[in-house]
């Protein structure tokens, strides 16, 4: 599974991208980007967690069963190994100091990669019990961090290590940067997965893969969350929700597995989707103008230069 590493990746073009389900998808200029999907790399076992790093002009992403983090270089088109072993890392994000935050399913922890390459463990327990298998994380501008903790990585040895849950539930937690304490942020999930803050950081959106819905919570100044409500539910037969990202006009884009990438209006209406030839796991915006969507799907890393722009990275 290491074919092509260190060399220029093979780029293939896939036609037929946009499906309009509501006229707002067209009038919102969502369909005026590339007419071809680029496959940048196709030698993973199961790809997730894409993260664009502007300073490096690289995409870091996870190849979970192969226990490695990969990187694609925008300037040269080359792909290489960023880290292996990688604790069966899943979701990746970055803090306001530019340090990589990774959710390590296999090691059942959330870590930070320091500027000198050292790895610092941020969270591995809640209330004295080992976490299940952290999946995704998001960091507020003041350093407050939330992460999801489903049981996906302990169900088998494929993406982690088979084990019983010590907590007995799948929750979302909050990590206070000042104290390092891990507290329960929200419960009532069956499979909490993708996380994203609204651009103004006043709301936290969480996808639930097993309930196939996105819930939204008001975020208080101290980092606690309101009760929460359902923002969107996946249409019948319309795939399975995974991670989520905002564009700069408040539309929510959702990786929907076999149903491609969904686009939801700010009122929760599904207005369109992107058709992807493999099962979509995760998405992120990047590129110099933050208008290039990077998509991990089964074995591949894809990209699509779009006519919409991702929400600010600041």
């Amino acid at each position: 599974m290491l074919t092509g590493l260190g060399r220029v990746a093979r780029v293939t073009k896939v036609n037929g991208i946009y499906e309009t389900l509501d006229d707002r998808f067209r009038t919102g200029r969502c369909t005026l980007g590339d007419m071809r999907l680029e496959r940048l790399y196709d030698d993973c076992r199961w790809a997730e967690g894409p993260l664009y790093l502007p300073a490096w002009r690289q995409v870091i992403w996870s190849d979970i069963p192969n226990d490695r983090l990969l990187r694609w270089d925008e300037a040269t088109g080359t792909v290489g190994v960023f880290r292996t072993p990688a604790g069966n890392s899943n979701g990746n994000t970055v803090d306001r100091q530019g340090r990589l935050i990774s959710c390590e399913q296999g090691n059942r922890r959330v870590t930070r990669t320091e500027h000198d390459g050292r790895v610092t463990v941020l969270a591995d327990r809640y209330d004295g019990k080992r976490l299940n298998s952290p999946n995704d994380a998001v960091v507020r501008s003041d350093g407050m961090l939330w992460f999801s903790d489903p049981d996906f990585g302990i169900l088998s040895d494929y993406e982690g290590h088979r084990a019983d849950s010590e907590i007995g539930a799948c929750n979302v937690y909050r990590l206070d940067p000042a104290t390092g304490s891990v507290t329960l942020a929200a419960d009532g999930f069956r499979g909490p997965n993708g996380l994203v803050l609204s651009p103004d950081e006043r709301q936290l959106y969480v996808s639930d893969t097993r309930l196939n819905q996105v819930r939204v919570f008001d975020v208080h100044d101290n980092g606690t969350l309101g009760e929460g409500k359902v923002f969107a539910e996946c249409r019948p037969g319309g795939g399975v929700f995974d991670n989520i990202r905002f564009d700069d006009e408040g539309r929510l884009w959702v990786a929907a597995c076999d149903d491609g990438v969904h686009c939801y209006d700010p009122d929760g209406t599904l207005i369109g989707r992107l058709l992807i030839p493999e099962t979509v796991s995760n998405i992120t915006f990047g590129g110099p103008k933050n208008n290039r969507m990077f998509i991990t799907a089964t074995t591949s890393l894809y990209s699509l230069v779009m006519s919409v722009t991702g929400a600010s990275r600041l």
Side-chain angles (χ1 to χ4, degrees):
M1 300 297 292
L2 299 177
T3 304
L5 293 180
R7 301 200 300 270
V8 176
R10 182 174 73 252
V11 177
T12 57
K13 308 288 187 179
V14 182
N15 293 321
I17 304 298
Y18 309 95
E19 181 181 59
T20 297
L21 303 174
D22 183 291
D23 200 47
R24 285 172 286 183
F25 195 58
R26 180 185 58 80
T27 60
R29 306 184 309 281
C30 297
T31 62
L32 302 178
D34 280 353
M35 293 295 110
R36 296 181 298 179
L37 187 68
E38 292 181 288
R39 181 184 283 119
L40 304 176
Y41 186 71
D42 64 353
D43 207 17
C44 298
R45 289 191 185 277
W46 177 249
E48 293 217 35
L51 170 68
Y52 182 79
L53 299 169
W56 299 356
R57 292 189 62 193
Q58 292 183 346
V59 175
I60 300 290
W61 82 98
S62 303
D63 183 2
I64 303 176
N66 281 329
D67 196 14
R68 59 183 182 170
L69 286 170
L70 298 175
R71 59 182 169 193
W72 171 81
D73 185 83
E74 188 172 31
T76 65
T78 57
V79 173
V81 175
F82 177 78
R83 178 183 296 148
T84 189
N88 301 109
S89 291
N90 191 323
N92 300 286
T93 190
V94 67
D95 68 13
R96 299 311 166 113
Q97 288 73 49
R99 297 171 296 188
L100 177 67
I101 307 293
S102 296
C103 293
E104 299 182 10
Q105 285 191 169
N107 291 333
R108 300 170 70 170
R109 65 188 191 179
V110 180
T111 63
R112 181 178 67 216
T113 301
E114 309 295 347
H115 293 303
D116 62 5
R118 291 179 298 112
V119 175
T120 299
V121 178
L122 299 180
D124 60 2
R125 293 179 181 271
Y126 165 67
D127 197 26
K129 301 173 183 178
R130 291 192 71 187
L131 299 172
N132 296 324
S133 56
N135 185 283
D136 197 16
V138 65
V139 184
R140 196 167 66 178
S141 56
D142 63 357
M144 193 74 70
L145 183 150
W146 293 265
F147 65 92
S148 57
D149 187 41
D151 58 3
F152 306 151
I154 59 174
L155 294 177
S156 74
D157 292 319
Y158 186 68
E159 292 189 2
H161 305 288
R162 185 176 180 180
D164 294 329
S165 171
E166 295 184 14
I167 297 172
C170 299
N171 300 317
V172 171
Y173 298 100
R174 174 171 56 92
L175 174 66
D176 189 328
T179 64
S181 63
V182 176
T183 56
L184 179 66
D187 57 11
F189 299 97
R190 290 183 58 194
N193 198 322
L195 305 177
V196 69
L197 284 167
S198 60
D200 62 7
E201 300 188 331
R202 294 178 179 176
Q203 293 177 310
L204 177 70
Y205 289 72
V206 183
S207 68
D208 190 317
T209 294
R210 292 191 175 114
L211 292 177
N212 237 352
Q213 60 185 209
V214 175
R215 290 167 61 187
V216 57
F217 301 83
D218 289 334
V219 180
H220 304 140
D221 290 344
N222 64 359
T224 59
L225 304 180
E227 183 176 349
K229 62 182 180 180
V230 175
F231 169 78
E233 293 186 291
C234 198
R235 63 183 185 171
V240 175
F241 282 168
D242 205 302
N243 93 315
I244 47 184
R245 291 291 181 265
F246 274 106
D247 67 25
D248 66 356
E249 295 190 15
R251 292 174 292 245
L252 187 70
W253 298 78
V254 182
C257 293
D258 291 338
D259 209 39
V261 179
H262 288 189
C263 178
Y264 290 85
D265 188 76
D267 69 3
T269 303
L270 176 62
I271 61 174
R273 67 187 186 112
L274 307 179
L275 308 180
I276 311 299
E278 295 183 83
T279 298
V280 177
S281 59
N282 286 181
I283 56 175
T284 194
F285 285 99
K289 296 181 178 180
N290 206 29
N291 68 334
R292 187 173 190 175
M293 182 179 284
F294 294 95
I295 303 163
T296 50
T298 313
T299 63
S300 303
L301 174 69
Y302 294 92
S303 83
L304 182 72
V305 178
M306 302 185 70
S307 51
V308 302
T309 302
S312 174
R313 294 180 294 235
L314 298 178

